[in-house]
Amino acid sequence: MGVGARLPRKEDRRFLRGEGEYVANIRIHGMLDVAFVRSPMAHAKIRGIRKFPGVFTSEDLKGVQPIRASSSLKGFKSSDQPVLAAGKVRQVGELVAMCVAATRAEAEDLADQVELDLEELPAVVDMIEARINPPALVHDEWGDNVFLESLVDDDLSELKRNAAVTVKRSIRTARQHMSPMEGRGVVCEWNRRLDQLVMYSAAQMPHLNRAGLAECLGIDQGSIRVIAPDVGGGFGYKGILLPEEVCLAWLCRKLGRPVRWIEDRREQLSANANCREHHYDITLYADAKGKILGIDCEATVDSGAYSSYPFSACLEGAQVSSILPGPYKMDRYRCRTWSMATNKAPILPYRGVARTGVCFALELMVDAAARELKIEPHEMRLANLVQPGEMPYTNITNKHFDSGDYPEAVRRAARMIDVEKIRKLQKEHPASVRKIGVGFAIFCEQAAHGTSVYHGWGIPMVPGHEQCAARLSPDGVLELRIGAHSHGQGMETTMAQVAHTVLGVDPENVRLVHGDTATTPYSTGTWGSRSMVMSGGAVAAACDVIAGRVKAIAAKLLEVSSQDLILSDGFAVVAGTDKKMSLAEVAHVWYRKPQLLPADVDPAGLEATAGYKAKVDTGTFSYACHATTVAVDTETGHVEILDYVIVEDGGTLVNPMIVDGQVFGGAAQGIGTALYEEMPFDEQGQPLATTLADYLLPSATEVPSIRIDHIETPSPHTRFGQKGIGEGGAIAPPAAIANAVNDALAPLGVEITESPLTPRRIVEAIMKARV
Amino acid sequence: MKACAFEYERPRNVESALRLLSTENSKILAGGQSLGPMLNLRVVQPALLVDLRGIEELKSVKDEKDSVTLGACVTHAQIEDGRLPDPTRGFMREVAANIAYRAVRNRGTIGGSLAHADPAADWPSALSVLGATVLIAGPGGRHEIPIEKFLTGLFETALKTGDILVAIRVPKLSARARVGYWKFCRKAGEFAQAIGAALDDPERGVARAVIGATRGAPHILADAKALFAKPEKQALLHAVDGAGLAADAYNRQLHAVALRRAIEKLAA
Ligand SMILES: Cc1cc2nc3c(=O)[nH]c(=O)nc-3n(C[C@H](O)[C@H](O)[C@H](O)COP(=O)(O)OP(=O)(O)OC[C@H]3O[C@@H](n4cnc5c(N)ncnc54)[C@H](O)[C@@H]3O)c2cc1C
């Protein structure tokens, strides 16, 4: 039942019965509904807004500060994101006015009547054009459209002269969306007794929503309580402070009535949950045996119109330059990045953050080089990966890989996918319109990285120590309060497993309290694959304290020394005997029969708050090798995934079943990135996929049965050896699938370097290769 | 997005439905699988919705010697499940089974699909290749027209304001008839990007092919005998160009492939 067990998820009892409670389930007497008037244009001057009672614009929101997420990185240009547009709109879907009525439909009726007088300006739509030939300035006062430029410099002149192979490519990943099943949603009311704003929000980092709200509203954090009820997926999107949240917070106080806004899919697609748009001009140098000598890269990230809170506009760009070398060794590395402002929705961190694009770029380059050198792609990887004997290893960008056997992951994946069989199949029907290919991708994923990594960015959020407040209740039930928040990770189960391992308490007798700033310790929340390491570490630390105190009490009552006691199966047992006392009995004595307590008992009792931070907080590095076999219909461009394997190392797996679930779910999203998901824009900056009829998500039929194999190399830095693995599944699929498609199409001389690999892109590339 | 406020009526027979439809800005509701999203996006803002699903006549099926007549409100799921007489010996079941997802099929109707006339939808192409007839009731009485006259363009039909599509009559295939249907969708359940359909029924002297998911009504090749015999690339592309799909190279190829694969199914 403890760390390592495939314990069924406790929370599934309510989720599988449809009994979860989400923001949209909350009803408060007298609640009003809000609909927003959003900008129909990507870039325009606001000349006027004709409004009615029940409609609020920026001039009404006096004293409300714009959302500002600055970064202390040198040269960063700050953008103020007004919660309701003032003066100018900078993206389609930007909030212009807030309309309130008894129902959402009536609020939308109001919104329909609001007249906007906009003077359209040229829109900055393409990130490369934004830099080289900008049609306009997104933020006039900047003088250009560059949020931030960075350079990791190196001297590559020798490589340019001597490298046996030089492979150059332009690689692009589409702008896409995070698509949690549940969108964002906010219910706000002002509690007069406590003089406190109570906000229910679909949030994965409620304490940071509170911090951001306090800054915008100019009130102290204690006068805000953020409650995140059940959250139906987040993927990073629900870590962002939305202008909608600030608007509603202001409105409920203004009206003295509870208000709510539930995001619909159209708002989410056209205005909010954008992510992932990268461009790379990249050169890889290798020797004749396939050893990577160095990489030279110019990367551009389309950051959209604003720097969003708290991750800022440059999380992606800054990540790109530091993680591009991946799990490989190389001696030379140069990378310039630009984070560009455009008239599109702010780019937000999505599961895997910059890594999915980076892995796509790097792994396509490895395959391109392997093809040129005529070596098997997996062999090329084996020749360049950090070796297990070199662990812990500090790579060229100063990342401290903690542990693992990267080459073994590749070897196992190659065996599972059976490269030789595929090579044979490929030779059998050379003329077939259906071409088969195999592709690999490997990455390592820094997770649960803390203060030492984040402080340099000076963004509004630097994670420090993580706390857990634990209480053994009078009936022996253990309550754990943590500031992180589960939005699908199964933390009610895994934290209970940790408690079981330390305290012997039955997971059934553990209650996790989370998602409420009033009742939980401060935390930056659940992001960056950090909760199992950080909150798990904190839970263990708090349980350690409780364990000591339980033992002290039980020792007195059992008349033994506390050193002789072990905690197991809900009992304090005298080692080697059958003398024991249940945790419930100990708790009963503490709360109800204090006359029996030892004189020197710790007065802090059965409640304890303890904190945790890994001694080395540069992060755990989980890693995985994905391999896939695909069949490409060269006439239609359809890609069928025939087989998909993942060899993954997440260190000690607290609950392998939950880990598998995380990997499956992530891989499904990665398949979306690889083949389906794309938000195109027209020249005026209009988003063109504003409903799920146009924005394609993979569904059950598009996701194959994925085979997972685990390597378990404990991290030397964490409590149980666990590593963060929440994001990994979503990182490698675009690279693995693109490599497989390119392997299949290689006989036709076709190579695709843009995701998603849509049927149109594939067929057009084939047509182009033919002429 | 939420729909605008509207009135709702559920009449019991075609006559009262016609009367209700004579009021201004009224709109027919069948399965709601196309209309629902349009209402929510406020693309349509009717004052009155007339729900046809309370009308028995529109849910009934008539099995006659040479044809089967399906009421407009028969759902895709009813056809899929094979609980109705099938004039096409399984072909219509197969078409129905591949429309969208089961949840959509449970509500979506064959009449609604035809009336909506989305070129990417299945029934317009499938019923065109079958040579169906459309039965219409209007303020001026009832009449029927062949499907190729009914489907007139992109989301356009011969229905006039106040008309109800009452039923669809599908001729029975003869014993040796063969039908082929092939569509390309980005993923299962999505609308098609290209449709090819072919019917070879020598006993009835029919060799018809359809290029569907065009920018207008399905393109019908009334005599496709030569193409069936030799579905060669140039001939296929020529047919596709005839359907007005020459401009975009990818689309052109996709439609030619769909047509060829439908024809290949005739032999299977
Ligand atoms: C997610 C999704 C995927 C889909 N995928 C496919 C697909 O792959 N293939 C496919 O073919 N379809 C697909 N559809 C459409 C589906 O088949 C619809 O059911 C169908 O197009 C419309 O039928 P309905 O009964 O729902 O009509 P409604 O939505 O109720 O009405 C559609 C229109 O037709 C009018 N109308 C309806 N009935 C009549 C009548 N008897 N007389 C006159 N006018 C009438 C209405 O006024 C309205 O304008 C999909 C729908 C969804 C939601």
Side-chain angles (χ1 to χ4, degrees), chain B residues 27-35 38 52 72 76 98-101 104 107-109 111-113 115-116 121-123 159 163-165 183 189-191:
Chain B
K27 184 105 188 123
I28 288 174
L29 170 71
Q33 297 306 292
S34 296
L35 188 57
M38 295 194 297
L52 299 185
H76 311 325
N98 289 298
I99 294 174
Y101 318 97
V104 172
R107 285 176 174 268
T109 65
S113 178
H116 189 53
D122 290 278
W123 289 128
L159 287 173
D163 279 356
I164 299 173
L165 191 166
K183 63 172 172 172
E190 282 306 308
F191 277 103

Side-chain angles (χ1 to χ4, degrees), chain A residues 33 49 82 160 249 357 430 594:
Chain A
D33 261 303
I49 303 171
K160 285 182 189 162

Side-chain angles (χ1 to χ4, degrees), chain A residues 104-105 108-109 112 264 266 633-636 638 675-676 691 693 696-699 701-702 758-760 763-764 767, chain B residues 1-5 40-42 45 101 182 184-188 190 193 233 248-251 253-254 257 260-261:
Chain A
R104 171 69 180 247
E108 287 184 17
D109 289 347
D112 277 353
D264 65 31
R266 195 159 182 240
D633 182 332
T634 52
E635 288 186 328
T636 64
H638 178 74
L675 297 174
Y676 303 102
T691 72
L696 296 191
L697 291 166
S699 43
T701 33
E702 283 74 45
T758 58
R760 176 182 285 276
V763 170
E764 286 181 344
M767 286 173 164
Chain B
M1 294 290 281
K2 304 282 182 206
C4 289
N40 280 347
L41 293 170
R42 298 194 172 195
Q45 307 194 354
Y101 318 97
W182 198 88
F184 182 76
C185 306
R186 283 289 306 276
K187 56 171 211 161
E190 282 306 308
Q193 296 195 313
K233 192 169 171 189
D248 180 271
Y250 170 66
N251 243 334
Q253 164 158 326
L254 204 58
V257 169
R260 194 195 72 224
R261 291 187 184 181

Side-chain angles (χ1 to χ4, degrees), chain A residues 160-206:
Chain A
K160 285 182 189 162
R161 276 195 307 274
N162 299 333
V165 226
T166 302
V167 185
K168 244 188 178 91
R169 295 287 185 275
S170 283
I171 294 175
R172 198 183 255 276
T173 63
R175 181 167 273 247
Q176 67 168 95
H177 277 276
M178 291 174 263
S179 300
M181 291 262 236
E182 179 208 26
R184 292 294 295 258
V186 188
V187 170
C188 280
E189 74 177 319
W190 196 272
N191 182 314
R192 291 201 187 86
R193 179 174 67 83
L194 300 172
D195 198 21
Q196 189 185 46
L197 168 71
V198 180
M199 171 181 287
Y200 299 87
S201 181
Q204 61 190 77
M205 297 157 46

Side-chain angles (χ1 to χ4, degrees), chain A residues 72-135:
Chain A
S72 68
L73 289 176
K74 219 175 122 244
F76 176 82
K77 300 196 196 79
S78 209
S79 70
D80 279 350
Q81 181 178 17
V83 297
L84 290 175
K88 199 165 137 165
V89 287
R90 295 185 181 83
Q91 66 162 104
V92 170
E94 182 162 354
L95 304 182
V96 177
M98 168 165 56
C99 305
V100 60
T103 65
R104 171 69 180 247
E106 288 163 286
E108 287 184 17
D109 289 347
L110 261 184
D112 277 353
Q113 290 162 35
V114 174
E115 286 170 32
L116 303 183
D117 181 7
L118 301 179
E119 178 186 329
E120 187 158 22
L121 300 169
V124 183
V125 183
D126 180 77
M127 57 179 147
I128 306 294
E129 198 187 58
R131 189 178 87 229
I132 292 166
N133 183 23

